[in-house]
Structure formats: C-alpha cells, structure tokens
Amino acid sequence: MSSTTAEAGARHAATPPARKGRARLSPLERAERRLGLMMLAPAVLLLCAVVVYPIVELVTTSLRFEHLAQPWMGTPFVGLDNFARAMSDEIFWSSTLNTVIYIVVTVPGAVLVGLGLALLANQPFKIKWPVRLGLLLPWALPLVFTGLIFRWFFEFNQGIVNNALMLVGMSPRQWLSDPFLAFVATCIAIVWKSSSFVALVLLAGLQTIPRSLYEAAEIDGAGRWQQFVEITLPMLRPAIVVALIFRTITAIQTFDIPYAMTNGGPGHSTETLAMYIHKTTIDFLDLGYGSALAVLMFAVSVVATSGYLRYTKRDPRKEA
Amino acid sequence: MKKTLVTALLGAALSMAATGDLMAQTTLRIFTGGQQRPDVMKQIVDVYMQRNPGVKVEVEVGGATSEQQQQYLNTVLASRDSTLDVVLIDVIRPAQWAAAQWAEPLDSYLGAEKDATMARYVAAYREANIVNGKVIALPYFADAQFLYYRKDLFEKHGVQPPKTWTELRDGLKKIMDAEKNPNLSGFQTAGAPIEGTVCTYLVPLWELGGQLTDASGKLTLTGETARKPFDLWGDLKSSGVLPSNIAEIVTDRMRQNYQAGNLISTMNWGYVWNRVENDADSVVKGKTGVVPMPAYEAGKSATCIGGWQLAVTAFSKNKAEAVKLVRFLSSPEVSKMQAILASHMPVFPEVYTDPEVLKANPWFKDALPVVQTARSRPVTPRYNEVSEIIRTNMNAFLAGTKTADAALSDMQSRLTPIFK
C-alpha cells in the first residue's frame, strides 16, 4: 500500500497532468517537486508501517475468529460476530461505563487541580526551581509506578491513608476492596499523576498573558477575582482546550493506574475498557474478540477527538 | 570497501579461534517466577554448569504471580520468540501449552526411558504433565495447600488444631477474644482477583464432593453444593475470623502477615515453611504447626494441587541441551536440594522420607498423602478464562460487591459457553 502511494506520487511528478496550473511548471519547479515528494516518501512509508498497517491489521483481525488457545479452530472470517458479542457482553458495557466515569471525573479534576498548580507556580517566587521540580516530578514518574505507590498509600494495614485516619480517631477504610472507595482511590491517583501535565501546559499559557492587561485592569479598579475571571480565564482558553484534548485522549485509554492498584477489582468495579481489552487479548489470547473491542475503543477516541478538534478549529477565528 | 569487509571478517575469525572454548559453548535461558525462589534455582544451575562446562545457563526472573508470568510468556511465545529455552510453568498450564503448541513434546527425547522415567514421579504430577499421551513438561517441585497455624497461641489457649471449619472458626474466635490484639487476624486465604483465589472457591467445593466439570468436561456447577463455599467464607468473614479486607489479600501477603506475627492461621503453600523458619524478620520461628486443611466433616479435607513444571519451548534453538538441563532439574537430587533450601515439596515419593529433608522440614513426614490426594483445577486450554471468571466472582463476593447468588449465577452463565 505504502509503495503504491509513493509510486503514484512519482508518476504525478514525471508526467505533468493536463491541468492548466500544473502545465505551467518549469523543469526546475518540476525537479523541485519531485525532490519534495522523494523527501516526503520516508515519512509516508514510516507512517504506513507504524500507523496504517497496524490499524488495517486490527480491523481485519476483528472480523475473524482468532483464539491462540484454540489453534485447531483456525482463523475463519466471522463478519461482525465479534461486535455482536460485545453488544451483549455485560463486562464490555460495565468497563465502558467505568471508562466514561473515569473521564468525567478525572479530566475536569486534573484541569481544576492543574489550574491551581499553574497559578501557584506562576507566582513570583524568589527561588523558582523547587516549584517547577514539584510540578515536573509526577509527570516524569511512570504510570505503573504511580499506581504501585498509591496502592501502598491506600493499603489497609500499613497504608499511610488509613494510618492518618486512625491518628484523627477515625476507623480505617477498605480503600482497595470497597467498590466505591476503590474508584475514589484510583481517581485520586490519576488526578495526582495527570494534573502536573495540565499544569505545565497552563503555566506556559499563563506566561503568554501580558502583564499590561492586569495593570490596566487594576487602574480600572478590578479586583483579583475579576482579573482572574475577565483576563486570565479567557486568555487561557486555548491552553485549557489543548490540555482537555490531551487529558481526554489519555483518559479514554486509562489502564496502568487501576491495573496496578486494584487489577480491576473488587469484581469488575474498577476495570476500564483498555484493561478488558488487555485481559481478552493478553490473558485469554482471544485476539479476534480483543481486536473488535479495540476497534470500538478506537471509534470512541476518534469521535471524542474530532469533537474537540472542531471546537479548536472554530475558536481562533472567533477570537480574532 | 571490500577490503575492509575482508579484514573485518578475518579479524572476527581470528578472535573466535582464540576463544575456541566460547564457540563450543551453548547458552540456555531459563525463565522462572519471582516467587519460585530464583535464588535457589541459581544455586542449582551453578551446580549444573560446574558439571557441564560447555553450557552456560542464564536465569530470567519474571513476575511474582502465576498470571503475571503467563501474561509475559503469552506475548513472548505468541510471537514465536526463541530467546527462552526452558520455562517454569504452573501446574495449571500444561494443557494450554500443549494446545497452543508452545511446548516441545519430550517423548522422543526420553525415548525408551519414557515410561520408567515418568513412573518415578508422584502420580498426580505424572498425570498433570502428560496431555493427550504426550509429555509436555517434567515436574520441578510439588505443592499443595496446608493450614499453617500458630502452635504457641493454640497451646496457650488450649485449642486443638482444627479438623473442621467450625472448629477453626470457634478456636480462632477464642484465641482472638483472649489476645485482644486489634492487629491480629484469625485466618487468611487468597481473596484478591488472583489465581490463588480460584482455590479459595474450589477447596470447599471439593470437600463437599462437588466438581466444576464431569468426566466428559461438562459444567456441573449447580445447586446447594456450588453455593456453600460462598456461605463458608461469608460466615468466617461475618464472625470476624476472616479480616474485613480479605478481598485485597494475595498469596505472599499472607506469608508476610503471618511472619510478622499478625496472623494466627493461613491456607498456604509449601514455600511458606522455609521463609517462616529462616527469614531474618520472622518473629514466629519455631512456633508454627502445619496440618491438612479443615473440612466440613473431619477427614474429608481437600486441597488444590500446585507445583511447577519445566517445559522446553517449541521455539528453542538448543532443544537437546535444554532437555538435558530439564532432566537434571527434574531429578531426585535437585528435588532434595530444593526441599532443604526452599521447603519446596519433592516430586519423588522417596525424597519425603530422606533424613536430611525431614530435618529441614519435620512436617513433610505427613505431607505426602496430602500431595498425593491433592486435586487438579479444571484442565482446559481456556483455563485463563475459567480462572478469571472464578476469581473475579469470588473476589466480588468477598468484597461485598455481589451476593452469593449473584456471584454464583454470574459464574455459571460465563462458564457455560466454555464447558459446552
């Protein structure tokens, strides 16, 4: 597939099409164009290899029965059977619902906490590096380590959280084995981990707001809150949208932190769609069904992202 | 350009000739789990390398739990990777490995010795490793679940080692009430969504005479018998003997809790003994008793068969050498070494009565019958799915997310299509 694209490009360059605009190209321009296409080819080939090929492979696998634990069954084409199975699979729906709840809770959660952190880091501290380092550390930490660390925080006997509760005279809670509390605990870990990225994006946004706007507002008698609402927030909107997009895409794929903290438990109550896909393919070796689930998740991602993208495309024109 | 290539090749050939020994050397890579005492395996492998100077054995250590290890192995083997020559697999896996054609059948390597070799093992392990008439792996060590209990506390409060679940509950309640230590749990079994939790369901089921499937492989999980294991754990939980956080308890956590003096008794595997008696941080050295699991009726005890097997991967490039290593690791000599160094239960009946083995593990003298009668978890190529269904529902029940009826009916409805 990739080679045909490149060939088609080369053919275009070699035989100038009949269209008027292109017929006027001078030999030099044509050579330039050919060079340009040639230089593009490696990138196109690479993209085909790492993006197009896997997606095509995923979709074709999703239309087959392929179960590595049952190799004698072969890999027959089954049409949309795998998708039909997903529609009547309770765990598919519960893990999708869990993913949606994770998105609804942790995306705004991370943006709110991240905004707070960014505002804090934007204060004129004398020594800036500890603040910046504090912002960067959670972001630099691998997700699964975050999960493991928080699992120990919320552990029943030795966990620091229950320890703190007992110090103030409250009884210890089953953070990881009560369905509601397990959800709360994983959300806290996710927000902690992702808000620093949001904060970095917003901090960059904050620093582009000219000081003169605040000075003018002060002269006009605007209070701090008014300055925040009338200047900071509107000026920060593009940065907030970028943060929201990235955070939503990663939230759709939520995997590592609940995997390390609860492994989806108790029961299936903290299992996300990404975890269910992993379980189906890597544990159960049911590649056909796992691929169908992945296609469904991909579709959800595309819808969510395109929604945001349309919003960002429209926005700058309006602001202008 | 050509010249440089030639010189480079010449140079390489010369340096290879200089290290002629290295050329003859075979490197084998063996995969083991973090909880199967890789340190002990390294000691054993060192002995092998001393005796076979032409062979270098590298030990790769994987995840702590059976399913973490298998997740990694699934990706390695599904891609037909040849880096691993020998893999230590859980007793529940040979059927799956045979079906997926990941294990090199050992029949042709054993040749005429096949029957004689296999006859020496404890019967359960001979059967576990032969799938459809083919030898898929050889046993490394045996295992079964026992009741570990604090002998000192039982004696102090005049409680006899329990033979029934009722005795266990009442005895532990008595001890807990008298000790008045809020950190002291009565009893723990695996409750987190992990492989061990499958046994938490199956052990009481078997004790009641129940089975997951019949001889033809059809699901037979019905009626009161299928429900009673839930009732048992529910009763132990509500009486406070089982801790309230039982749904987050994994196998090695119980060993840690017990060793720290925070747990009176636990259903656990053979390896615990060695750690409890030898670890520097163990506060319960010399205070432990080991007996068969309690039952509903005295004498009708059951236990899950455990243990680890050595398979040669179908993708290994050194199969003959790998089989040699496996035969060494699956020998009475190594069985004895493991018993002494790690309290790993032997796979040969005669090793149980070896004086040195008994000196290190006095309780082995009564352990052989337990291992011999230990039961197999269902044998199916789709065991991973079966395990997930049982452990997640048991876990949800222990966490209080599902009632016994809901957990059981979910189990039944998801298991039915697998065992149809």
Side-chain angles (χ1 to χ4, degrees), chain A residues 14-37:
Chain A
T15 51
R19 284 223 332 256
K20 261 191 175 176
R22 293 199 179 172
R24 258 185 247 137
L25 286 176
S26 69
L28 181 68
E29 279 171 322
R30 238 179 278 156
E32 288 259 300
R33 174 189 286 256
R34 202 177 307 154
L35 180 70
L37 284 172

Side-chain angles (χ1 to χ4, degrees), chain A residues 251-314:
Chain A
I252 293 172
Q253 302 163 353
T254 303
F255 175 83
D256 313 52
I257 288 178
Y259 181 77
M261 284 179 75
T262 61
N263 199 6
H268 293 279
S269 55
T270 53
E271 187 170 71
T272 65
L273 186 52
M275 290 164 80
Y276 188 46
I277 293 171
H278 174 264
K279 199 186 248 178
T280 310
T281 45
I282 306 291
D283 285 359
F284 301 168
L285 301 169
D286 194 343
L287 300 191
Y289 186 48
S291 302
L293 295 175
V295 168
L296 289 171
M297 186 166 113
F298 180 65
V300 175
S301 291
V302 168
V303 171
T305 321
S306 63
Y308 273 128
L309 282 181
R310 195 177 305 153
Y311 178 82
T312 39
K313 257 188 198 160
R314 196 180 47 202

Side-chain angles (χ1 to χ4, degrees), chain A residues 71 155 259 267 279 282-283, chain B residues 71 74 99 253 384-385 388 395:
Chain A
E155 213 266 351
Y259 181 77
K279 199 186 248 178
I282 306 291
D283 285 359
Chain B
Q71 274 174 16
N74 281 348
R253 206 67 236 281
N384 289 358
E385 286 164 81
E388 195 265 352
N395 167 257

Side-chain angles (χ1 to χ4, degrees), chain A residues 2 49 79 88 117 175 183 203 225 248 292 298 308:
Chain A
S2 49
S88 60
L117 288 173
W175 288 100
F183 217 98
L203 182 61
W225 176 246
T248 308
F298 180 65
Y308 273 128

Side-chain angles (χ1 to χ4, degrees), chain A residues 212-231:
Chain A
S212 56
L213 288 179
Y214 293 102
E215 281 156 17
E218 235 161 79
I219 292 165
D220 288 345
R224 290 226 118 187
W225 176 246
Q226 259 181 310
Q227 288 180 23
F228 176 71
V229 175
E230 301 292 336
I231 302 171

